Amino acid sequence: MSNLLSIQQDLSNYEAHLVAVSKTKPIEAILELYEAGQRSFGENKVQELVSKYNSLPKDINWHMIGHLQKNKVKQIAPFIFMIHSVDNFDLLEVIDKKAKDNQRIINVLLQIKIAKEENKYGFNFDELVSQFQLEKYPNINFCGVMGMATFTEDEDQIRKEFQQLVSFRQQLKNLFFSTIEGFKEISMGMSGDYKIALEEGSTIVRIGSLIFGSRNYSE
Ligand SMILES: *Cc1c(COP(=O)(O)O)cnc(C)c1O
């Protein structure tokens, strides 16, 4: 909680938004933050997200930040506030369809690969640019981009990758979203690198362990 205050202080200097990443953490820990005024929470697994949605106050804005399988979109489509992790065209098609089925417009960020690591997800930027067609997705509200930097101690590399994401957003804005006011979000920065992300223009940071303590996946 003390970390929450210092993070909020950092964010207020940049007008950035905090998504508290609550994956693996219990309902009580989320409620504690909720009572302190936090309303945006991020999860990376559909089953856990749905179960927490069902147990917690309905004015929470839930953010899906983990790799999303097409066949699971229908479970979150009725309530999800924003999907950060959209990294392929098939998934965009399914989200558009499920949004329509639910008579909703779903907020989406395009996840773009900026890290050097092979195992990180995201659109290849050139492929995205060559194949993207906005008119195919009338039930999606495109809000911006998301990216994850390489897991490294090398701050210069992290900074360069964040700068690349900022540039990708601007290029996409010019090419496809020039009339779309809301295409302005840059979701980048986690516990280890959020200060660099803020300096480079992040508008949404996704912070877990710094707020909730480290995660123990073996439990
Ligand atoms: C877990 C996770 C985070 C938060 O990571 P921390 O290092 O705990 O802050 C952010 N983004 C994504 C996509 C995640 O999966």
Side-chain angles (χ1 to χ4, degrees):
M1 287 290 272
S2 58
N3 279 337
L4 178 65
L5 290 177
S6 80
I7 293 166
Q8 281 170 340
Q9 190 84 56
D10 288 338
L11 295 183
S12 65
N13 296 327
Y14 292 94
E15 292 177 34
H17 185 81
L18 170 65
V19 172
V21 177
S22 48
K23 62 192 187 197
T24 77
K25 298 297 173 185
I27 297 293
E28 302 77 58
I30 299 174
L31 269 179
E32 196 184 335
L33 248 71
Y34 177 88
E35 269 144 31
Q38 179 67 25
R39 290 295 179 273
S40 298
F41 292 90
E43 290 284 336
N44 70 340
K45 296 216 159 63
V46 165
Q47 196 183 357
E48 188 174 344
L49 177 53
V50 170
S51 133
K52 285 173 174 172
Y53 166 76
N54 286 325
S55 320
L56 282 156
K58 291 296 170 282
D59 63 340
I60 287 179
N61 291 328
W62 289 103
H63 295 247
M64 178 60 189
I65 62 169
H67 188 63
L68 178 57
Q69 285 169 332
K70 282 181 291 180
N71 61 353
K72 297 198 171 159
V73 173
K74 63 173 178 296
Q75 296 181 56
I76 61 172
F79 69 88
I80 197 74
F81 177 75
M82 184 179 279
I83 306 176
H84 292 225
S85 42
V86 179
D87 61 359
N88 66 79
F89 292 106
D90 289 349
L91 184 57
L92 274 175
E93 238 169 78
V94 173
I95 292 170
D96 183 69
K97 178 168 187 306
K98 297 300 169 194
K100 184 161 194 265
D101 291 350
N102 285 277
Q103 295 175 289
R104 297 186 73 213
I105 301 289
I106 294 183
N107 296 322
V108 155
L109 301 178
L110 296 167
Q111 180 173 1
I112 303 172
K113 188 168 153 70
I114 51 173
K116 300 282 171 291
E117 294 137 307
E118 279 305 314
N119 61 348
K120 290 252 161 87
Y121 292 106
F123 274 105
N124 169 289
F125 181 70
D126 294 333
E127 244 171 63
L128 174 60
V129 165
S130 66
Q131 291 173 46
F132 184 78
Q133 291 174 284
L134 179 61
E135 62 279 9
K136 277 190 171 174
Y137 316 107
N139 306 289
I140 291 180
N141 181 31
F142 289 93
C143 300
V145 296
M146 184 273 234
M148 292 174 88
T150 304
F151 187 72
T152 172
E153 300 278 290
D154 183 350
E155 284 201 8
D156 285 342
Q157 184 178 349
I158 294 171
R159 196 175 290 282
K160 280 195 191 115
E161 290 174 359
F162 285 157
Q163 286 167 354
Q164 191 166 48
L165 187 62
V166 170
S167 155
F168 286 159
R169 191 214 61 97
Q170 188 60 54
Q171 293 176 61
L172 291 171
K173 171 86 181 164
N174 297 344
L175 286 167
F176 304 107
F177 304 104
S178 56
T179 60
I180 302 203
E181 187 103 17
F183 192 80
K184 59 182 178 12
E185 305 297 347
I186 304 171
S187 169
M188 63 183 189
M190 308 173 28
S191 291
D193 56 21
Y194 83 93
K195 288 189 185 182
I196 304 174
L198 289 173
E199 287 166 11
E200 296 305 332
S202 171
T203 67
I204 304 175
V205 293
R206 311 175 309 270
I207 299 181
S209 43
L210 200 60
I211 297 173
F212 290 102
S214 60
R215 289 176 293 273
N216 184 352
Y217 288 101
S218 64
E219 273 171 13

